[in-house]
């Protein structure tokens, strides 16, 4: 088994069939890359959404926190 | 024993945790096999006597076409398992398989068209295989469109599973009828479907690519399924914990 | 249309004990067929619209491609068949719609009779009011499109057999999309790929007849497709209806 082309330029030209071969491989690789990145991006979006909800929850909890001692103090009086 | 395993497989959480370990291996195997296969096919396999270098597209065209068809059956079977045993995970696999299958069908159609230009002098021929592939693409599109139409995921799951099953029953009939239609209209000058035996020097890189595509398919299917699992189970504790950890 | 539709149910006051065994079984196939037919015949415009669509679009064809008789004769079998297919498809959207909206579809699923026969009755009536008139009208359109004399008998026969299959296959799509608000295009998208074999053998038969060959094989295959569709499609449509009404 040996390399079938004389050099890099020859390899890219592929005896005139280069554009067809490279476009076919390029589109295939792009599609495959899309298939891999799509779920990863989606997962990142889910995580960002979760974080945002969590921050809101924490802020709400923090706002409620200082009120409780005051209320308890009022009850104690 | 087998049933216990079967039921555990139906649990999205079990699936998620189990597949975490498989992912790197599948990713590495598919990357390696695809890289080796592509280099082999593009640079080292000998030129075809009749078609010159344009035949090198076969190394992606054929595996993509294989998986496009196998993917439809996988989608239909997981839909059927979901309908029969009410298995949640099975529906998720089915939903994940639809866009992947459509993408691979598109790849096989696109590479086929690009291959057609230097070989037959035209991008599109109404050849039996191409036409069947196009109809397969429409079948996938139908399932995806139907899945997007329902507000309730459970309803969408069942409807898509049924449609995929009906499509599966139809695929052999469609293939046979398109075949018959093509022999009726076959132009005398173009002969596309000759079954010549393929030389080993071209067959081994093709085999490498086919196995590589299968690994890639498994990897991507698991990735999509995991993301869908996270999305659907986002209110459960284990997913909340997982998302909170940032892993 | 404004009176409540209780045709699938026994009178409300009756308890199961009061009913004769015959009444307890619910309406049989013949009774269903009769009521459906009576209801369908009351909606005149629903019958007329697909036929008008069929004729109008075929009248547009010469305006699009030119009035040259030879060209029209070549296009006639395929165009008449494609238009019959579209007319069937368009009328299919309303197949279960009004029954779904007034709840009688759900009652039908609860009937002691198998849902298979209920669906089969509805589809049979749909064919009687769309497919049958379309087929009967087709020779007239063949005349307008300059179809060679040898093709008429075959056109009529192939459409009689084929539109019945189309009605049956379309019922699956109609059942899947009945719960959606605007199913029109989606229904076309999911059903059209399944129509392919019928279209191929239908036009193939007419083309063979026009070219002076025997066409009994194609008609036999159309009949076989019809038999398979009659056995399987109502089952799938019944499943689809159960999915759609399950809320």
């Amino acid at each position: 088994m040996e390399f079938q082309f004389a050099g890099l330029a020859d390899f890219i030209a592929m005896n005139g069939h280069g554009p067809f071969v490279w476009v076919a491989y390029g589109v295939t690789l792009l599609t495959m890359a899309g298939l891999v990145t799509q779920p990863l991006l989606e997962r990142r979006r889910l995580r960002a959404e979760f974080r945002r909800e969590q921050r809101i929850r924490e802020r709400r909890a923090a706002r409620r926190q200082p009120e409780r001692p005051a209320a308890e103090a009022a009850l104690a009086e | 024993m087998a049933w216990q395993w079967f039921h555990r497989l139906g649990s999205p959480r079990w699936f998620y945790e189990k597949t975490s370990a498989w992912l790197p291996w599948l990713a590495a195997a598919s990357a390696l096999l695809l890289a080796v296969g592509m280099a082999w096919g593009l640079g080292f396999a000998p030129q075809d006597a009749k078609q010159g270098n344009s035949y090198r597209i076969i190394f992606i065209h054929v595996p993509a076409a294989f998986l496009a068809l196998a993917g439809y059956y996988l989608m239909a079977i997981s839909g059927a398992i979901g309908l029969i045993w009410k298995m949640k995970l099975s529906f998720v696999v089915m939903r994940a398989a639809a866009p992947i299958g459509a993408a691979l069908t598109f790849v096989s159609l696109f590479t086929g068209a690009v291959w057609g230009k230097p070989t037959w002098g035209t991008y599109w021929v109404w050849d039996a295989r191409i036409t069947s592939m196009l109809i397969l693409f429409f079948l996938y599109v139908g399932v995806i469109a139907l899945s997007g139409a329902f507000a309730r995921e459970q309803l969408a799951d069942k409807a898509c599973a049924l449609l995929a099953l009906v499509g599966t029953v139809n695929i052999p009939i469609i293939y046979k009828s398109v075949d018959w239609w093509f022999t009726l209209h076959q132009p005398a000058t173009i002969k596309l479907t000759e079954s010549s035996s393929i030389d080993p020097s071209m067959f081994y890189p093709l085999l490498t690519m086919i196995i590589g595509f299968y690994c890639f398919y498994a990897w991507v299917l698991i990735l999509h399924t995991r993301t869908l699992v996270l999305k659907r189970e986002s209110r459960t504790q284990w997913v909340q914990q997982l998302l909170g950890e940032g892993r | 249309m404004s009176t409540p539709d209780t045709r699938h149910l026994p009178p409300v006051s009756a308890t199961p004990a009061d009913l004769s065994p015959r009444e307890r079984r619910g309406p049989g196939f013949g009774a269903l067929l009769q009521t459906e037919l009576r209801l369908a015949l009351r909606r005149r415009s629903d019958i007329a619209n697909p036929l008008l669509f069929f004729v109008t679009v075929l009248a547009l064809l010469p305006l699009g491609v030119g009035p040259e008789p030879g060209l029209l004769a070549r296009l006639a079998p395929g165009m008449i068949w494609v238009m019959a297919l579209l007319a069937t498809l368009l009328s299919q959207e309303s197949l279960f719609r009004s029954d779904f909206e007034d709840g009688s579809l759900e009652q039908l699923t609860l009937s002691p009779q198998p849902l298979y026969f209920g669906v089969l009755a509805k589809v049979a009536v749909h064919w009687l009011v769309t497919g049958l008139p379309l087929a009967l009208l087709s020779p007239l359109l063949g005349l307008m499109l300059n179809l060679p004399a040898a093709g008429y008998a075959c056109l009529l026969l192939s459409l009689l057999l084929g539109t019945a299959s189309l009605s049956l296959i379309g019922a699956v799509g109609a059942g899947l999309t009945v719960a959606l608000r605007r199913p029109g295009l989606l229904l076309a998208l999911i059903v059209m790929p399944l129509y392919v074999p019928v279209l191929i053998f239908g036009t193939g038969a007419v083309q063979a007849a026009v070219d002076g060959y025997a066409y009994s094989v194609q008609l036999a295959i159309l009949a076989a497709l019809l038999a398979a569709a009659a056995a399987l499609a109502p089952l799938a449509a019944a499943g689809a209806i159960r999915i759609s009404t399950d809320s």
Side-chain angles (χ1 to χ4, degrees), chain B residues 142 145 149-150 155 158 162 174 177, chain C residues 176 180 186 190 201 236 240 243 246:
Chain B
F150 289 95
L155 210 64
K158 288 184 194 164
L162 192 84
I174 292 174
S177 59
Chain C
L176 282 173
L180 299 171
L186 181 66
I190 65 177
F201 287 107
I243 291 169
D246 168 44

Side-chain angles (χ1 to χ4, degrees), chain B residues 94-180:
Chain B
M94 173 196 76
R95 295 287 288 275
I100 304 173
L104 287 173
T105 316
F106 165 75
V107 163
S108 81
L109 278 173
F110 183 86
T111 52
V114 173
W115 189 7
K117 184 66 182 167
T119 315
W120 315 319
T122 168
Y123 283 109
W124 188 265
V125 192
W126 289 95
D127 159 58
R129 288 186 202 178
I130 298 176
T131 311
S132 304
M133 221 51 193
L134 186 67
I135 295 165
L136 182 68
F137 184 68
F138 291 148
L139 284 172
Y140 271 122
V141 168
V143 172
I144 294 172
L146 188 67
S147 75
F150 289 95
R152 278 172 51 215
E153 294 288 339
Q154 278 176 316
L155 210 64
D157 283 346
K158 288 184 194 164
C160 286
L162 192 84
L163 181 62
L165 277 175
V166 172
T168 313
V169 174
N170 264 277
I171 282 181
I173 304 174
I174 292 174
Y175 271 48
K176 278 283 161 220
S177 59
V178 170
D179 230 27
W180 179 84

Side-chain angles (χ1 to χ4, degrees), chain B residues 176-241:
Chain B
K176 278 283 161 220
S177 59
V178 170
D179 230 27
W180 179 84
W181 163 83
F182 180 64
T183 50
L184 196 69
H185 295 275
Q186 190 168 27
T189 47
I190 306 172
K191 194 158 181 282
L192 308 173
T193 44
E194 82 261 39
S195 55
S196 55
S197 58
I198 185 165
D199 190 74
S201 60
M202 297 171 182
F203 176 69
Y204 288 121
L206 182 59
L207 190 66
T208 313
M209 286 299 278
I210 290 173
I211 301 171
F213 262 74
Y214 267 95
C215 288
F216 174 80
Y217 185 84
W219 177 38
V220 170
L221 184 66
I222 290 175
L223 271 182
H224 279 245
T225 309
R226 282 163 63 93
T227 307
L228 278 180
V229 163
L230 283 190
K231 213 171 175 177
R232 292 200 175 185
E233 308 274 302
S234 62
R235 296 284 155 234
T236 60
Q237 207 179 359
W238 70 272
V239 171
Q240 301 245 320
Q241 207 172 353

